Amino acid sequence: MTTNPILDATGVAKSYGAVAALRNASLSVLPGEVHALMGANGAGKSTLVKILTGAIRADKGDIRIRGQARDVRSPADARRAGLVPVYQEPSLIPDLDIVSNLRLTGTPLEPFRAWVRELGVPDLDVNDMARDVPLAILRVLDLARALAVEPDVILLDEMTAALPANLAERVIDVVRQQSKSGRSVIFISHRFIEISAMCDRATVLRDGETVGVVDIVPGIEEKIVELMLGARVEKTYTKSGGASAAGTVEATHPRLSVRNLRVGTKLQDVSFDLRDSEVAGVVALEGQGQDELFGALSGAIRPSGGTIEVDGKAVQFSHPTDAIDLGIAYVPGDRTEVLLMQQSVRENIALPFSARLRNWGPINMGRERTTVARAIERLQIDTRAQREVQRLSGGNQQKVTIARWIAADARTILCFDPTRGIDVRTKQEIYRLLRELAAQGKSVLYYTSELEEVQRVCDRAIVIFGGRVVDVLPTDIADEAALTRASYGLPRHAQEDIGILAGASNTPAGAR
Amino acid sequence: AGKTYTIGVSNTVQGNGWREEMICAIKAQALASGEVAKLNIAHRNTDAAGQLEDLRNLISAKVDAIVVNPADPAGIKAALAEATKAGIVVVAVDQAVTEPSAYIISNNQEKYAYLGAKWLFQQMGGKGGVVYMRGAAGASADSDRDKGFKEALKEFPDVKVVHEVFTGWQQDQAKQQILDFIATGTPFNGIWTSGIDNVIVDALTESQTALVPIVGADNAGFVGQLNKVEGLKGAAVTNPGSIGGAGVTLALQILDGKKPAQQTVLVEPSLWQNVTDAGKAQLKSAADPSLSPEWPVSISIPNWTTYTKDQIVACKGPGE
Amino acid sequence: MSDQPLVPLVVLLILLVVVLQILRPGIVNERWIANTVKFAIPLAMLAGCQTMTMLTGGIDLSVGTVATMAAFIMATQATHFDPTIAILIAMMPALLIGLANGIGVGVFRVHPLIMTLGTSLIGIGCLQVYQRTVIATGTKVPDFLAWLGTGLSYGIPNALLLFIPVAAAIIFTLRRTGFGRLLYAVGDNEKATRLSGVVYWQVIVALYVISSLLAGIMGLLYVGLIKAPSLSLVEPLVLPSVAAAVIGGTSIFGGRGGYTGTIIGALILTVLTTLLSVLQMPEGARRILFGAIVLLVTAAYLRITEDR
Amino acid sequence: MIRFVRKNGWVTGLFVLLALLFVITKIIQPGYGAGDFGSLVRAVLPFAFAVAAQTIVVIAGGIDLSVASMMALTSVTAAYMMNGASEEFALLVVPMVLLMGAGLGALNGILIVVTRVPDIVVTLSMLFVLQGAALLVLDSPGGAAAEWLKELIVGTIQIPGIPDAINAWLPKGLLLLLVCLGIVWIPLRRSWLGLSIYAIGSSPLAAFRSGVPVARTKTIAYAFSGLFGAMGGLTLTMSTGIGAPIPGPYLLASVAAVVLGGVVLGGGRGGLVGPIVAVFVLRLVRTDLTLLAIDPNVTAIVEGTIMVVVVMLGAYLAMRGRTS
Ligand SMILES: Nc1ncnc2c1ncn2[C@@H]1O[C@H](COP(=O)(O)OP(=O)(O)OP(=O)(O)O)[C@@H](O)[C@H]1O
Ligand SMILES: Nc1ncnc2c1ncn2[C@@H]1O[C@H](COP(=O)(O)OP(=O)(O)OP(=O)(O)O)[C@@H](O)[C@H]1O
Ligand SMILES: [Mg+2]
Ligand SMILES: [Mg+2]
């Protein structure tokens, strides 16, 4: 290719005290290209995006836009230069309605509306406060806001991580269109399937350094993983036997038994059992009641009808502490809901130990240290910046939310999309961890927006649509195509193709 | 005369012994007079603008007379004029006001400071260093007293102010300030206080500093100390809080058609010293250990108040 | 929290003392140090209330009223009751106001600033009404409180006998107990603590009761030091107590800080007060200087600790 | 309409409360009339401006502990300058004092932005600094005010064509208040700057990432606060005819009214109407307490209780609203 890069960064470095977030990163993006930025959790991807868009200042480095050296001082400055980011965290002002948010950034309303519809959210009320909008929709709005100003380069930091499959698919469509109309996209994701579906090239970061730039061709995944991790990681099905093996000794009661559960209008009628030693998957499109289900089971919200039984006894949770007392822990998808950002990793993990009144007294520091260290070890948390959790990379923060309940030895874990934004190796570790927990007799309810995970970790998949359980699929038939169909509420044997992700599982380019 | 009048009261400092006594004197006198059916008291911490509000509320409440301790002599002029226009008798107590239609019965603050300071400088033998512990910066009573103090100071050219500080009329501040000053080791021969006096005596005795002559007000605590503390030479200058009661009497006289000859009546302070026998006797008879140490012991003013000690201490107005 | 950098704060404190010594040679002597400690202790105790409440993102503006009530009620009750009984009676309002604050903030979710301001107004009103009933009883400060407040043993203030255990207890609570952890946690992310099984109102009610009781104890010590109970005894220390906690590095937004810093913050403010009262200058200039130095100290501290 | 009421439920509730209080007042004192309403308005003035000053910085995510000192300083400065000066000179004094307020407010903001010390500490320091400055200008209450300035809040507006009975209920002070607040607030609220102020209060990080110049916006918010503070200081001088260097009880009152008015401490939410209505409510309660001749010591209890109960009620209703 002879075209000049529209964006060219070389030798970028940034340190936070002793932590070097970036050492020597470079990135070169051509016009009209979809360029993947890849790397393990904490490799420095988000930091690079923030530097390119003026959200933070680099210590060193040379950034050229359209061949001209340019010092991007603020996001507003970047915007003027034609660079518009969608950061890993939502950037809408929570207390302003959406119209005002648009006015604030000088975004024209009509194109924005068009993009929102295009991205698969037909019924948006622009007079809603941003704080009342669910996370996944917020991400979409953030993207639509960026698209509406028609930037030359759009930077998407884990745009799809919090999105359910249907929305993620629309994003990918839209990104493709962008590149067709000559705009460049920098795309950060840990999902190879997305990368291979639309990216042209990828820059790989490792420990703050650019370690390679590759063209995306079928079969390149192994190479990227190697670059990312510096060593080969074999990817296998972690699942081994599962409930069918361990579950031969059926307990008299299921661990958790849900009957006709209703929450407001979102969750209509859900019944299922969760047994010891199993990982039950939950699959649903955005907003089908899964948030309410997990909220009700964890005691965070009160159901409006139906029953929940734990070990055969009917329970009513009025506070999460009631659920925790029965060994039921909840790991929400949005880590900002559960992390103490200014506290250390240790205090975050040890939080449940002090929760109850009887544990308010002196802490056994030695015991705590070992328990916490074991949990950190088990999840491989990068604790270089452990004094404050807010300084950890997004993925490592995610791990802390799980580590807490591993340390507290919860019997049942309700995991809501725990691999959101987690790199391949860690994902493998989490899959293995969950299987280990099941093997130890624990139970896990596992909502995931990445359908391929169902076959990797779950013993079966409970599919929810419109607030009802529409199907329960055994693992062997729960491939992505089947899950996608079921999650649109289609009967099991219908054979229409639903979108590219469903189709992707049939292509050899898949990441397996 | 039957119980006919409603009297409004406006005061802008709350929680200070002197002002509390003033309010109790007003209540006691209203009760003792037998002419007051109801008191309507606005008593809170606020500024001149807040007092304007209170006064106007009293006007709305259609009281017959208002007894006011002004936050500032000039600042409440407008509301006082409105009150007079509405046919309400206005009596300012404690401090003067600039509104010509108002009657004033006031303690003479300039004289208060002059009297004490002059006595103190004489005790010091007309020379040496004096510690000048003022009231609250920016308060008009403080600047009036400052004038009196400076006047006395002019008469004694060899007396020097070695330390001047605002106590804010706060006991804790005053105590820390004097202790800090003692720690500097600067010699001093006398202390003039603007009524925050007993903590100063405490500070001197606690830190085992030689006692110097001290001037304070006739607060129960300080008067007690003047009688009891070994080796303490001092004088209490009267600044009766019972002036409030006198204000009620004046207001009732005017309502009954007995206007005084002048608009302004000044209550002159007197000085009780524990170095002369006469002074000692005055202090002995005035001392009242049962009173709160912040209360002035001069709980009545001859010819102006008619209540008994029990009545003022009970602090109950008509109808309570 | 345990790695609160204290060194720069101590350096700032020493710097102030040196300036004082230069401006008033000879003032920094044993007696002055004892005085300074005596006056810093009550402030530090009150600032302890602010530190603990600020960690949860709150503030306790009722401490001045609570302490004043404890002092005044104790001094008036001590005239006819045994001091111990007088003290017990005097602590009742502290307990009640603490409970009210805790319930208001913890259960009804009223903003702490408003809740404590409101209870403080109510408390002051009640105290005024109470005062009416005890005008003729006089007041008495029990000897042992005066001894504790003003006395020195071997040149060391007796007040330390009370303060050292109190401070040790606060520091230990914040660093090494579950309750202390929860204060930081609640101030950092309340929702997170809820999902971890923490019952918010329990923490908050306990916190405000403790804060109030500490303020009550401070009031008793303070009346021992000043020996003149009045209806506004401790009120002037409320804003400085907030300032001491903030200078000491506790964040007003919660989740960050500690008590050791607060103690040094209280010492800094006390020395500063001395510095300004011995300097001969117009009162206006003194206040300007006071404000400027408080700002300077906080800014300098922030600068120094940020780069770490 | 329903949407409007729901969105502005709190303010609507306050208006209802205020109306109720007027009815109660009329019952307590059947003679309560237009003149008394005029008194109420004059009592409201300094509080209203203090509250406006507080509101704008609270919305911007800060808090201003120096409002009362700012009012004292601007008030003494105005009184000092007008003392012995001609009536015309006051025409010069007013804009100068307003400018001074805005400048000192901006200084607050600049100090916060530059030192990165939390708002509460910077403004606490400024509380002392401004108080000190006020004492340097006048060491005791004094000074004077131009007659025309004092007249601005005395009497009623005579609008031709409207019956006197209605005119009597339109005190000049109310007009002054509405004009001064409206002139600043309405354009601000509609501008991009106004949005930015809400944005930095709601989430400084998101605001920065949305391209809002956070530091500049914060400084401007404080400058407006200073401007309102100076207006408050001027109303003090107007009503008392002097300047007093000791700050009045406006700090805590302003914070209380801000919260009562539905502005969230912490920033981003609320408006100016609520706090202003809250000020009227609080002043009218004080009037009623005086009219009822309630024991003055009990009034503190009553005021404290009202504050706590109203906010508790609001919090309770909000909780109910969320669960249903
Ligand atoms: N404010 C900060 N203070 C200290 N360290 C930081 C800060 N921000 C980022 N870091 C560190 O810099 C490194 C890179 O972080 P960054 O967020 O760029 O990672 P990332 O590649 O986006 O990871 P992820 O995939 O998990 O989002 C991490 O080790 C992180 O802990
Ligand atoms: N302070 C602590 N430090 C380390 N691990 C802890 C601590 N507290 C609890 N744990 C661990 O967390 C798990 C569950 O804690 P939980 O609070 O339910 O225990 P518990 O029965 O209350 O124990 P205890 O009463 O001794 O605190 C246990 O595995 C326990 O070992
Ligand atoms: Mg990232
Ligand atoms: Mg990530």
Side-chain angles (χ1 to χ4, degrees):
Chain A
M1 271 188 242
T2 52
T3 36
N4 292 321
I6 182 159
L7 176 69
D8 191 17
T10 46
V12 181
K14 171 79 188 175
S15 296
Y16 293 101
V19 180
L22 286 179
R23 292 168 215 280
N24 179 18
S26 54
L27 175 67
S28 177
V29 180
L30 302 172
E33 157 182 66
V34 181
H35 194 110
L37 186 56
M38 305 203 61
N41 293 135
K45 304 176 294 294
S46 299
T47 307
L48 184 57
V49 168
K50 286 179 197 155
I51 287 173
L52 292 175
T53 55
I56 53 177
R57 309 291 305 261
D59 300 335
K60 261 200 330 237
D62 177 38
I63 298 169
R64 286 169 182 277
I65 298 173
R66 291 180 209 85
Q68 277 167 338
R70 189 151 175 165
D71 184 21
V72 185
R73 272 191 222 89
S74 70
D77 211 17
R79 196 173 284 264
R80 280 188 287 274
L83 262 58
V84 176
V86 177
Y87 295 110
Q88 202 168 351
E89 308 81 24
S91 302
L92 265 65
I93 311 290
D95 291 311
L96 292 182
D97 56 21
I98 293 162
V99 186
S100 303
N101 264 297
L102 296 180
R103 243 187 93 200
L104 199 64
T105 43
T107 312
L109 181 60
E110 271 323 309
F112 170 81
R113 274 187 205 269
W115 279 117
V116 170
R117 272 192 302 272
E118 179 78 23
L119 284 164
V121 182
D123 50 356
L124 178 78
D125 183 346
V126 289
N127 292 315
D128 278 348
M129 288 283 168
R131 72 161 65 248
D132 298 333
V133 177
L135 177 68
I137 307 292
L138 272 184
R139 306 287 295 146
V140 171
L141 298 186
D142 241 344
L143 175 58
R145 188 168 65 160
L147 292 167
V149 295
E150 309 193 348
D152 298 334
V153 183
I154 186 160
L155 302 93
L156 307 179
D157 192 354
E158 301 203 18
M159 178 64 222
T160 51
L163 298 190
N166 57 330
L167 291 179
E169 181 187 308
R170 302 297 273 270
V171 170
I172 288 162
D173 269 347
V174 164
V175 167
R176 279 200 190 125
Q177 284 169 31
Q178 287 289 303
S179 81
K180 284 206 193 87
S181 56
R183 305 207 171 90
S184 310
V185 179
I186 296 173
F187 189 81
I188 298 179
S189 170
H190 293 288
R191 298 177 182 173
F192 279 100
I193 190 166
E194 294 170 355
I195 305 292
S196 48
M198 64 177 175
C199 295
D200 303 310
R201 295 192 303 155
T203 293
V204 183
L205 285 179
R206 182 170 74 227
D207 293 339
E209 265 178 271
T210 296
V211 289
V213 182
V214 296
D215 288 333
I216 304 290
V217 291
I220 192 73
E221 290 82 7
E222 289 307 313
K223 165 99 172 131
I224 293 178
V225 171
E226 211 170 297
L227 283 169
M228 264 167 64
L229 304 177
R232 259 186 80 84
V233 174
E234 79 266 33
K235 306 185 73 190
T236 53
Y237 284 88
T238 330
K239 185 172 171 300
S240 54
S244 40
T248 42
V249 250
E250 277 281 313
T252 36
H253 293 293
R255 168 70 175 141
L256 199 65
S257 173
V258 178
R259 289 291 170 271
N260 311 107
L261 193 67
R262 279 190 297 115
V263 178
T265 53
K266 282 292 186 57
L267 199 65
Q268 299 285 353
D269 177 14
V270 166
S271 306
F272 66 89
D273 287 342
L274 178 66
R275 282 178 291 277
D276 283 325
S277 313
E278 83 161 338
V279 179
V282 174
V283 171
L285 301 174
E286 173 64 15
Q288 303 304 311
Q290 63 269 45
D291 305 79
E292 287 75 14
L293 173 64
F294 277 68
L297 292 180
S298 65
I301 48 181
R302 258 185 239 202
S304 41
T307 58
I308 302 172
E309 280 180 20
V310 177
D311 297 328
K313 275 203 242 4
V315 292
Q316 260 179 341
F317 299 146
S318 55
H319 189 281
T321 195
D322 299 337
I324 292 166
D325 276 344
L326 294 172
I328 300 173
Y330 173 43
V331 182
D334 180 1
R335 54 183 166 265
T336 59
E337 277 182 28
V338 284
L339 289 177
L340 312 172
M341 287 296 180
Q342 301 175 67
Q343 314 302 318
S344 68
V345 171
R346 173 176 176 171
E347 279 153 46
N348 268 280
I349 294 178
L351 177 60
F353 301 157
S354 313
R356 267 165 302 164
L357 208 67
R358 68 187 152 92
N359 294 333
W360 281 12
I363 298 170
N364 179 341
M365 295 304 249
R367 186 171 124 196
E368 180 187 285
R369 193 173 306 117
T370 46
T371 316
V372 169
R374 209 174 311 130
I376 290 178
E377 174 68 34
R378 202 153 167 196
L379 278 133
Q380 302 277 306
I381 301 174
D382 171 4
T383 52
R384 278 179 303 163
Q386 65 166 307
R387 198 190 289 165
E388 286 185 358
V389 159
Q390 62 187 344
R391 300 187 182 189
L392 295 186
S393 78
N396 280 303
Q397 290 179 359
Q398 189 76 25
K399 292 192 222 169
V400 173
T401 65
I402 303 172
R404 177 182 289 168
W405 297 112
I406 302 296
D409 204 21
R411 247 186 87 192
T412 300
I413 299 185
L414 312 173
C415 273
F416 197 95
D417 223 3
T419 52
R420 192 179 273 186
I422 284 194
D423 66 48
V424 271
R425 180 165 55 182
T426 317
K427 267 185 193 166
Q428 302 287 320
E429 279 156 10
I430 287 180
Y431 301 153
R432 193 174 302 132
L433 179 78
L434 295 179
R435 289 315 318 173
E436 268 171 42
L437 291 175
Q440 287 165 15
K442 311 229 145 101
S443 48
V444 179
L445 191 66
Y446 187 95
Y447 169 79
T448 177
S449 56
E450 286 181 60
L451 301 180
E452 57 142 7
E453 289 186 343
V454 168
Q455 285 189 318
R456 289 180 187 279
V457 266
C458 300
D459 295 309
R460 62 205 165 100
I462 301 164
V463 184
I464 298 179
F465 178 72
R468 294 168 203 277
V469 174
V470 290
D471 205 349
V472 180
L473 298 168
T475 330
D476 44 347
I477 61 162
D479 60 9
E480 289 177 49
L483 288 170
T484 308
R485 265 176 226 114
S487 60
Y488 275 96
L490 300 173
R492 208 180 271 190
H493 301 292
Q495 282 302 322
E496 300 93 311
D497 246 6
I498 313 289
I500 52 155
L501 287 187
S505 64
N506 301 328
T507 64
R512 271 152 280 143
Chain B
K3 298 185 171 195
T4 45
Y5 299 120
T6 301
I7 292 186
V9 178
S10 167
N11 175 47
T12 56
V13 179
Q14 199 178 23
N16 151 307
W18 194 97
R19 296 287 182 128
E20 295 301 326
E21 180 179 303
M22 180 188 85
I23 296 291
C24 289
I26 289 173
K27 288 181 164 189
Q29 185 58 34
L31 188 67
S33 72
E35 287 186 72
V36 181
K38 193 167 102 179
L39 278 177
N40 200 336
I41 304 177
H43 171 47
R44 57 170 173 147
N45 283 315
T46 188
D47 61 344
Q51 189 159 41
L52 286 172
E53 175 186 2
D54 285 345
L55 289 170
R56 289 185 175 126
N57 283 339
L58 290 173
I59 297 171
S60 297
K62 306 210 181 333
V63 295
D64 299 303
I66 293 177
V67 175
V68 52
N69 185 335
D72 178 83
I76 55 169
K77 188 165 187 240
L80 295 184
E82 285 164 37
T84 310
K85 224 175 105 197
I88 298 172
V89 171
V90 176
V91 175
V93 295
D94 188 27
Q95 293 182 68
V97 289
T98 55
E99 167 57 31
S101 69
Y103 294 85
I104 297 160
I105 179 159
S106 160
N107 292 320
N108 191 339
Q109 299 298 348
E110 220 174 301
K111 189 76 174 290
Y112 167 94
Y114 176 78
L115 209 61
K118 185 166 177 184
W119 177 87
L120 180 68
F121 300 154
Q122 281 165 352
Q123 286 298 309
M124 290 161 57
K127 61 182 188 311
V130 64
V131 178
Y132 179 32
M133 307 202 68
R134 300 179 61 171
S140 57
D142 179 78
S143 56
D144 284 350
R145 288 183 181 183
D146 187 48
K147 283 191 207 113
F149 181 89
K150 293 272 158 64
E151 202 180 318
L153 196 62
K154 244 186 270 155
E155 295 172 16
F156 295 86
D158 292 333
V159 174
K160 292 278 166 302
V161 175
V162 291
H163 190 58
E164 175 178 345
V165 74
F166 287 90
T167 63
W169 279 309
Q170 281 162 9
Q171 317 264 16
D172 55 329
Q173 282 250 19
K175 191 162 184 178
Q176 190 187 347
Q177 285 162 346
I178 193 72
L179 285 172
D180 283 336
F181 179 70
I182 292 169
T184 64
T186 316
F188 58 100
N189 310 88
I191 303 175
W192 185 92
T193 74
S194 189
I196 297 295
D197 33 31
N198 50 339
V199 286
I200 303 296
V201 178
D202 280 344
L204 293 187
T205 44
E206 279 160 22
S207 60
Q208 281 144 22
T209 308
L211 286 170
V212 294
I214 298 176
V215 173
D218 57 339
N219 302 325
F222 185 56
V223 169
Q225 285 172 330
L226 287 178
N227 282 328
K228 278 191 275 184
V229 176
E230 201 69 33
L232 170 65
K233 276 200 232 169
V237 185
T238 60
N239 181 36
S242 39
I243 193 86
V248 171
T249 305
L250 180 60
L252 289 174
Q253 281 174 4
I254 299 164
L255 285 172
D256 289 341
K258 288 176 281 184
K259 295 213 164 129
Q262 293 140 352
Q263 290 285 110
T264 306
V265 183
L266 278 185
V267 175
E268 295 300 325
S270 54
L271 180 138
W272 306 332
Q273 48 180 315
N274 70 356
V275 292
T276 64
D277 287 337
K280 276 185 191 151
Q282 275 171 324
L283 283 165
K284 278 263 153 28
S285 65
D288 192 343
S290 73
L291 285 181
S292 155
E294 281 200 313
W295 266 44
V297 290
S298 40
I299 50 176
S300 61
I301 303 175
N303 303 329
W304 283 106
T305 61
T306 55
Y307 48 77
T308 62
K309 180 184 166 193
D310 284 345
Q311 278 177 316
I312 184 173
V313 162
C315 201
K316 285 211 163 42
E320 273 185 56
Chain C
M1 63 191 201
S2 49
D3 42 54
Q4 250 335 282
L6 291 174
V7 182
L9 264 188
V10 175
V11 170
L12 285 169
L13 174 62
I14 293 173
L15 212 70
L16 273 180
V17 175
V18 169
V19 170
L20 181 62
Q21 172 69 15
I22 291 170
L23 291 174
R24 269 293 171 112
I27 183 170
V28 181
N29 52 34
E30 208 174 299
R31 180 192 269 181
W32 176 80
I33 292 173
N35 277 338
T36 305
V37 171
K38 259 194 246 172
F39 280 90
I41 284 174
L43 180 60
M45 285 175 75
L46 219 52
C49 304
Q50 306 301 355
T51 307
M52 287 190 286
T53 45
M54 274 162 58
L55 285 178
T56 65
I59 192 165
D60 191 348
L61 295 183
S62 68
V63 288
T65 300
V66 167
T68 305
M69 284 177 98
F72 190 85
I73 294 174
M74 188 280 300
T76 46
Q77 292 298 323
T79 54
H80 50 280
F81 284 124
D82 187 68
T84 339
I85 296 177
I87 287 177
L88 284 180
I89 298 174
M91 293 300 283
M92 289 319 290
L95 187 66
L96 288 178
I97 290 184
L99 262 178
N101 285 339
I103 293 171
V105 176
V107 179
F108 288 91
R109 306 301 177 112
V110 178
H111 194 285
L113 202 134
I114 291 300
M115 190 64 213
T116 56
L117 191 62
T119 51
S120 154
L121 273 178
I122 296 172
I124 277 292
C126 293
L127 187 63
Q128 300 265 354
V129 172
Y130 167 81
Q131 180 254 158
R132 284 292 160 74
T133 66
V134 293
I135 288 170
T137 57
T139 58
K140 188 174 150 204
V141 177
D143 290 339
F144 80 92
L145 281 182
W147 176 84
L148 201 60
T150 61
L152 296 177
S153 306
Y154 312 105
I156 296 167
N158 297 335
L160 284 173
L161 241 46
L162 174 68
F163 183 67
I164 291 176
V166 165
I170 296 178
I171 293 171
F172 182 80
T173 303
L174 292 184
R175 289 193 183 168
R176 290 290 159 93
T177 68
F179 179 64
R181 282 281 178 81
L182 293 188
L183 294 185
Y184 287 90
V186 160
D188 199 323
N189 186 345
E190 188 213 314
K191 187 159 187 196
T193 60
R194 185 176 135 85
L195 289 177
S196 298
V198 179
V199 185
Y200 179 72
W201 67 262
Q202 291 175 349
V203 180
I204 294 300
V205 170
L207 166 68
Y208 281 90
V209 167
I210 291 175
S211 168
S212 238
L213 291 179
L214 180 59
I217 295 171
M218 177 274 177
L220 298 177
L221 175 70
Y222 202 53
V223 75
L225 172 60
I226 304 301
K227 294 206 282 198
S230 81
L231 294 176
S232 54
L233 183 69
V234 188
E235 226 52 67
L237 287 190
V238 176
L239 275 187
S241 75
V242 177
V246 178
I247 290 178
T250 298
S251 160
I252 196 96
F253 305 111
R256 210 187 268 257
Y259 191 51
T260 348
T262 302
I263 298 175
I264 300 173
L267 277 166
I268 288 180
L269 280 185
T270 312
V271 173
L272 190 53
T273 313
T274 304
L275 180 67
L276 293 178
S277 83
V278 301
L279 280 184
Q280 286 304 310
M281 58 169 77
E283 181 64 16
R286 269 187 205 148
R287 295 202 187 168
I288 293 180
L289 216 59
F290 181 82
I293 294 177
V294 167
L295 182 58
L296 216 73
V297 167
T298 323
Y301 176 61
L302 221 68
R303 267 293 130 74
I304 297 166
T305 52
E306 228 169 39
D307 296 340
R308 295 177 146 229
Chain D
M1 178 63 195
I2 288 169
R3 187 182 185 121
F4 176 86
V5 170
R6 187 173 307 154
K7 212 169 155 191
N8 300 287
W10 188 251
V11 178
T12 316
L14 280 174
F15 269 112
V16 171
L17 184 62
L18 183 63
L20 215 69
L21 274 171
F22 271 116
V23 172
I24 293 174
T25 312
K26 194 74 186 169
I27 294 171
I28 299 171
Q29 184 77 7
Y32 190 89
D36 302 307
F37 178 65
S39 300
L40 176 72
V41 168
R42 277 186 281 179
V44 157
L45 280 176
F47 286 95
F49 285 110
V51 164
Q54 195 66 263
T55 300
I56 195 163
V57 289
V58 170
I59 288 177
I63 190 162
D64 187 355
L65 300 189
S66 68
V67 232
S69 304
M70 176 77 78
M71 287 166 71
L73 175 59
T74 45
S75 169
V76 289
T77 308
Y80 176 78
M81 287 169 68
M82 285 189 277
N83 198 9
S86 69
E87 291 282 299
E88 293 75 37
F89 184 65
L91 282 173
L92 222 78
V93 172
V94 171
M96 272 181 63
V97 167
L98 292 180
L99 209 68
M100 171 177 149
L104 287 171
L107 178 65
N108 259 335
I110 290 169
L111 285 174
I112 291 165
V113 168
V114 171
T115 63
R116 275 175 287 155
V117 171
D119 303 53
I120 194 162
V121 186
V122 171
T123 54
L124 180 68
S125 309
M126 282 296 273
L127 175 155
F128 292 108
V129 171
L130 299 182
Q131 218 177 69
L135 279 171
L136 290 183
V137 176
L138 279 181
D139 61 7
S140 62
E147 288 306 320
W148 66 265
L149 208 54
K150 288 195 260 185
E151 287 300 317
L152 274 185
I153 56 168
V154 178
T156 56
I157 323 156
Q158 294 304 323
I159 304 172
I162 289 182
D164 277 356
I166 294 179
N167 261 336
W169 286 89
L170 295 175
K172 275 195 215 158
L174 191 61
L175 181 74
L176 181 81
L177 177 66
L178 296 182
V179 167
C180 288
L181 293 182
I183 255 179
V184 180
W185 183 255
I186 294 172
L188 181 65
R189 181 76 211 241
R190 292 174 177 218
S191 68
W192 188 79
L193 178 64
L195 269 185
S196 314
I197 289 176
Y198 277 84
I200 62 168
S202 181
S203 164
L205 180 67
F208 173 64
R209 289 180 175 178
S210 299
V212 174
V214 177
R216 196 192 323 151
T217 309
K218 186 141 216 171
T219 306
I220 294 174
Y222 272 93
F224 275 115
S225 166
L227 179 68
F228 283 135
M231 289 178 183
L234 282 173
T235 60
L236 283 179
T237 303
M238 280 181 208
S239 56
T240 61
I242 55 155
I246 300 181
Y250 303 105
L251 169 57
L252 290 180
S254 72
V255 178
V258 161
V259 176
L260 278 180
V263 176
V264 177
L265 288 176
R269 274 187 278 179
L272 187 56
V273 180
I276 298 294
V277 179
V279 167
F280 272 90
V281 167
L282 289 175
R283 284 355 287 160
L284 199 53
V285 166
R286 158 74 38 196
T287 303
D288 288 349
L289 291 173
T290 309
L291 291 180
L292 284 170
I294 300 239
D295 179 332
N297 296 322
V298 177
T299 57
I301 304 180
V302 173
E303 282 182 324
T305 310
I306 288 179
M307 214 157 85
V308 170
V309 167
V310 169
V311 179
M312 263 194 193
L313 194 77
Y316 177 73
L317 290 179
M319 252 191 292
R320 285 286 301 272
R322 228 176 292 130
T323 49
S324 68

